[in-house]
Amino acid sequence: MNDVYNVRKIPLSNNKERKISQLKYILGMELSLKEKILLGRDTTIKEINGYILKDYCCYRAVNTETYKKYLEMGYISSGIIDDEYEEYYLDNTLYNNNKGIDWYLGGVCLKYGEVILECPAYKKYFQVAFDNGNGMSKDPTVKFMKSSGYKNCIPIELVKVIHGLDLDNEINLKK
C-alpha cells in the first residue's frame, strides 16, 4: 500500500527537544511540564468502543452539522477558495500557513465533535503537516495531517463514519 501513509513509517520530530520528549513518552517515562507542552495540545485516542483505529487511515471528529454539510457537498471541504496547506521558507526558517482540513493519522481527538470520520490516508488527498505531523497530538504515534479545503477535496465516498451516527444518519451517542 504505497499510495497511503502509515503512521508507523513517519518519523518522530525533527526538533531535538521534542524528539527527546517523544521518546520519553513512548518509553512511559515521567515528563516535565515543558516536555508535556512540547508534545502537543490534543489528547488523542486509538480505539473507540472496541474499534481499533487503523495505522493507515486518517480520522476527523466533526459536529453533526458539519457532517451533514459534507454530505450535501459530496466532499470534505471548507468551501473556502484559498484553504490549502502550504509550507514555505522565510529567512531560512520553515513556516506553514496552517490552512486546510485537519485530520489525525492513526488516532482521533474527540473534543472536535461527536461524529468520527475515517478515510484511508491516500497520498493523493493528504499530506503530513509541519515537523512530520508532530506537535499537535500529545501521543507521538499519532500524526497531524492536512487535506485540501477546496482544490483537491476528499470525495465523501471514501469516508466512513465509525462513531456517532446510526444507519438513518441520526445522532446515536453510544457509550
Side-chain angles (χ1 to χ4, degrees):
M1 294 206 318
N2 289 333
D3 61 333
V4 295
Y5 290 102
N6 187 311
V7 74
R8 294 179 186 267
K9 295 182 179 180
I10 298 175
L12 296 176
S13 177
N14 293 320
N15 176 291
K16 185 178 178 180
E17 284 184 283
R18 179 176 288 140
K19 186 173 185 174
I20 290 168
S21 299
Q22 291 176 318
L23 290 169
K24 287 176 74 174
Y25 177 96
I26 291 167
L27 294 172
M29 299 172 67
E30 190 171 329
L31 299 167
S32 69
L33 179 59
K34 179 183 178 185
E35 289 170 326
K36 289 177 185 178
I37 291 170
L38 278 172
L39 286 177
R41 71 172 188 221
D42 284 348
T43 300
T44 53
I45 61 171
K46 297 180 181 182
E47 179 178 338
I48 299 175
N49 294 336
Y51 183 81
I52 307 296
L53 305 187
K54 300 172 178 99
D55 292 341
Y56 59 89
C57 286
C58 286
Y59 297 89
R60 177 169 172 75
V62 297
N63 61 40
T64 307
E65 294 77 29
T66 300
Y67 178 66
K68 287 179 180 178
K69 185 175 110 179
Y70 292 161
L71 287 175
E72 289 172 16
M73 290 187 295
Y75 294 92
I76 306 298
S77 172
S78 66
I80 300 169
I81 291 174
D82 70 342
D83 194 14
E84 305 299 324
Y85 180 76
E86 293 178 4
E87 292 182 354
Y88 57 93
Y89 283 93
L90 184 62
D91 298 326
N92 294 323
T93 303
L94 182 62
Y95 293 94
N96 70 81
N97 65 3
N98 199 31
K99 292 183 179 185
I101 307 288
D102 298 342
W103 298 77
Y104 276 112
L105 178 62
V108 68
C109 180
L110 297 178
K111 76 179 182 183
Y112 297 110
E114 65 276 359
V115 180
I116 311 303
L117 307 177
E118 176 185 79
C119 183
Y122 293 115
K123 292 178 180 179
K124 175 180 177 177
Y125 294 108
F126 291 98
Q127 69 183 95
V128 181
F130 186 76
D131 189 20
N132 301 324
N134 297 292
M136 285 295 289
S137 172
K138 293 176 185 176
D139 182 344
T141 65
V142 173
K143 304 298 183 179
F144 189 54
M145 305 288 285
K146 293 285 192 169
S147 69
S148 170
Y150 190 78
K151 292 180 182 175
N152 186 33
C153 298
I154 299 168
I156 199 71
E157 295 84 30
L158 296 179
V159 177
K160 173 180 165 184
V161 174
I162 62 163
H163 180 71
L165 297 177
D166 65 19
L167 295 175
D168 296 324
N169 288 335
E170 297 293 324
I171 285 298
N172 181 9
L173 298 176
K174 302 173 190 170
K175 295 290 179 184

